[in-house]
Short mmCIF file of all heavy atoms in Angstrom, two decimals:
data_model
loop_
_atom_site.label_atom_id
_atom_site.label_comp_id
_atom_site.label_asym_id
_atom_site.label_seq_id
_atom_site.Cartn_x
_atom_site.Cartn_y
_atom_site.Cartn_z
N MET F 125 9.63 24.07 14.89
CA MET F 125 9.95 25.41 15.39
C MET F 125 10.06 25.37 16.90
O MET F 125 9.69 24.37 17.55
CB MET F 125 8.88 26.42 14.95
CG MET F 125 7.50 26.18 15.53
SD MET F 125 6.20 27.10 14.68
CE MET F 125 6.08 26.20 13.13
N ASN F 126 10.53 26.46 17.48
CA ASN F 126 10.59 26.62 18.92
C ASN F 126 9.19 26.53 19.53
O ASN F 126 8.21 26.97 18.93
CB ASN F 126 11.24 27.98 19.24
CG ASN F 126 11.13 28.34 20.70
OD1 ASN F 126 10.19 29.02 21.07
ND2 ASN F 126 12.07 27.89 21.50
N GLN F 127 9.12 25.98 20.74
CA GLN F 127 7.81 25.76 21.36
C GLN F 127 7.03 27.06 21.56
O GLN F 127 5.80 27.07 21.45
CB GLN F 127 7.99 25.00 22.69
CG GLN F 127 8.93 25.62 23.71
CD GLN F 127 8.29 26.67 24.57
OE1 GLN F 127 7.07 26.65 24.74
NE2 GLN F 127 9.08 27.60 25.10
N ALA F 128 7.73 28.18 21.85
CA ALA F 128 7.05 29.46 22.02
C ALA F 128 6.48 29.97 20.70
O ALA F 128 5.38 30.54 20.65
CB ALA F 128 7.99 30.49 22.63
N MET F 129 7.22 29.73 19.60
CA MET F 129 6.74 30.14 18.28
C MET F 129 5.51 29.34 17.88
O MET F 129 4.56 29.88 17.30
CB MET F 129 7.85 29.97 17.24
CG MET F 129 9.06 30.85 17.47
SD MET F 129 10.39 30.50 16.30
CE MET F 129 9.72 31.17 14.80
N TRP F 130 5.52 28.05 18.20
CA TRP F 130 4.35 27.22 17.88
C TRP F 130 3.13 27.67 18.67
O TRP F 130 2.01 27.72 18.15
CB TRP F 130 4.65 25.75 18.15
CG TRP F 130 3.47 24.86 17.94
CD1 TRP F 130 2.69 24.27 18.89
CD2 TRP F 130 2.88 24.49 16.69
NE1 TRP F 130 1.68 23.55 18.33
CE2 TRP F 130 1.77 23.66 16.96
CE3 TRP F 130 3.20 24.76 15.36
CZ2 TRP F 130 0.97 23.12 15.97
CZ3 TRP F 130 2.40 24.22 14.35
CH2 TRP F 130 1.30 23.41 14.66
N ALA F 131 3.31 28.03 19.93
CA ALA F 131 2.20 28.41 20.79
C ALA F 131 1.71 29.83 20.53
O ALA F 131 0.62 30.20 20.97
CB ALA F 131 2.61 28.27 22.26
N ASN F 132 2.49 30.64 19.82
CA ASN F 132 2.12 32.03 19.59
C ASN F 132 0.76 32.12 18.89
O ASN F 132 0.44 31.33 18.01
CB ASN F 132 3.20 32.71 18.74
CG ASN F 132 3.00 34.20 18.64
OD1 ASN F 132 2.16 34.67 17.87
ND2 ASN F 132 3.77 34.94 19.42
N VAL F 133 -0.03 33.13 19.29
CA VAL F 133 -1.39 33.25 18.74
C VAL F 133 -1.38 33.45 17.23
O VAL F 133 -2.30 33.00 16.52
CB VAL F 133 -2.15 34.41 19.43
CG1 VAL F 133 -2.42 34.08 20.89
CG2 VAL F 133 -1.39 35.72 19.30
N ALA F 134 -0.33 34.11 16.70
CA ALA F 134 -0.26 34.31 15.25
C ALA F 134 -0.08 32.99 14.52
O ALA F 134 -0.74 32.73 13.51
CB ALA F 134 0.89 35.27 14.92
N THR F 135 0.82 32.15 15.06
CA THR F 135 1.03 30.83 14.44
C THR F 135 -0.22 29.99 14.52
O THR F 135 -0.60 29.31 13.55
CB THR F 135 2.21 30.10 15.12
OG1 THR F 135 3.39 30.91 15.03
CG2 THR F 135 2.46 28.75 14.47
N GLN F 136 -0.90 30.02 15.66
CA GLN F 136 -2.11 29.22 15.83
C GLN F 136 -3.23 29.72 14.92
O GLN F 136 -4.03 28.93 14.41
CB GLN F 136 -2.55 29.24 17.29
CG GLN F 136 -1.62 28.48 18.23
CD GLN F 136 -1.48 27.02 17.83
OE1 GLN F 136 -2.48 26.30 17.70
NE2 GLN F 136 -0.24 26.58 17.62
N ALA F 137 -3.27 31.04 14.69
CA ALA F 137 -4.27 31.58 13.74
C ALA F 137 -3.97 31.10 12.33
O ALA F 137 -4.88 30.74 11.56
CB ALA F 137 -4.27 33.11 13.81
N ASN F 138 -2.68 31.08 11.96
CA ASN F 138 -2.30 30.58 10.64
C ASN F 138 -2.63 29.10 10.51
O ASN F 138 -3.06 28.63 9.45
CB ASN F 138 -0.81 30.81 10.40
CG ASN F 138 -0.47 32.28 10.28
OD1 ASN F 138 -1.31 33.09 9.90
ND2 ASN F 138 0.77 32.64 10.59
N LEU F 139 -2.42 28.36 11.59
CA LEU F 139 -2.73 26.93 11.61
C LEU F 139 -4.21 26.71 11.33
O LEU F 139 -4.58 25.86 10.50
CB LEU F 139 -2.33 26.35 12.97
CG LEU F 139 -2.68 24.89 13.24
CD1 LEU F 139 -1.88 23.97 12.33
CD2 LEU F 139 -2.42 24.53 14.69
N ARG F 140 -5.07 27.46 12.01
CA ARG F 140 -6.51 27.30 11.80
C ARG F 140 -6.90 27.65 10.37
O ARG F 140 -7.72 26.97 9.74
CB ARG F 140 -7.29 28.18 12.79
CG ARG F 140 -7.23 27.70 14.23
CD ARG F 140 -8.21 28.45 15.10
NE ARG F 140 -7.88 29.86 15.22
CZ ARG F 140 -7.05 30.36 16.13
NH1 ARG F 140 -6.45 29.56 17.01
NH2 ARG F 140 -6.82 31.66 16.19
N LYS F 141 -6.31 28.69 9.84
CA LYS F 141 -6.61 29.12 8.47
C LYS F 141 -6.24 28.03 7.46
O LYS F 141 -7.00 27.72 6.53
CB LYS F 141 -5.85 30.42 8.16
CG LYS F 141 -6.25 31.10 6.85
CD LYS F 141 -5.39 32.31 6.60
CE LYS F 141 -5.62 33.39 7.63
NZ LYS F 141 -6.94 34.06 7.45
N LEU F 142 -5.07 27.42 7.66
CA LEU F 142 -4.61 26.38 6.74
C LEU F 142 -5.43 25.11 6.87
O LEU F 142 -5.71 24.43 5.86
CB LEU F 142 -3.13 26.10 6.98
CG LEU F 142 -2.18 27.24 6.58
CD1 LEU F 142 -0.76 26.97 7.08
CD2 LEU F 142 -2.17 27.42 5.07
N LYS F 143 -5.85 24.77 8.08
CA LYS F 143 -6.69 23.59 8.25
C LYS F 143 -8.05 23.78 7.59
O LYS F 143 -8.63 22.82 7.07
CB LYS F 143 -6.85 23.27 9.74
CG LYS F 143 -5.62 22.64 10.37
CD LYS F 143 -5.87 22.22 11.82
CE LYS F 143 -4.69 21.45 12.37
NZ LYS F 143 -4.89 21.05 13.79
N GLU F 144 -8.56 25.01 7.62
CA GLU F 144 -9.82 25.30 6.92
C GLU F 144 -9.70 25.05 5.42
O GLU F 144 -10.69 24.72 4.76
CB GLU F 144 -10.23 26.75 7.18
CG GLU F 144 -10.73 27.00 8.60
CD GLU F 144 -10.98 28.48 8.87
OE1 GLU F 144 -10.78 29.29 7.92
OE2 GLU F 144 -11.36 28.83 10.00
N ARG F 145 -8.47 25.21 4.90
CA ARG F 145 -8.23 24.96 3.47
C ARG F 145 -7.84 23.51 3.22
O ARG F 145 -7.39 23.16 2.14
CB ARG F 145 -7.12 25.88 2.97
CG ARG F 145 -7.46 27.34 3.04
CD ARG F 145 -6.31 28.15 2.49
NE ARG F 145 -6.38 29.53 2.91
CZ ARG F 145 -5.34 30.35 2.95
NH1 ARG F 145 -4.14 29.91 2.61
NH2 ARG F 145 -5.48 31.59 3.34
#
Side-chain angles (χ1 to χ4, degrees):
M125 64 195 73
N126 170 267
Q127 55 84 25
M129 296 175 71
W130 176 255
N132 189 281
V133 293
T135 303
Q136 290 302 305
N138 293 334
L139 175 67
R140 289 190 295 273
K141 189 183 294 288
L142 291 170
K143 284 185 174 179
E144 288 173 2
R145 297 181 198 158

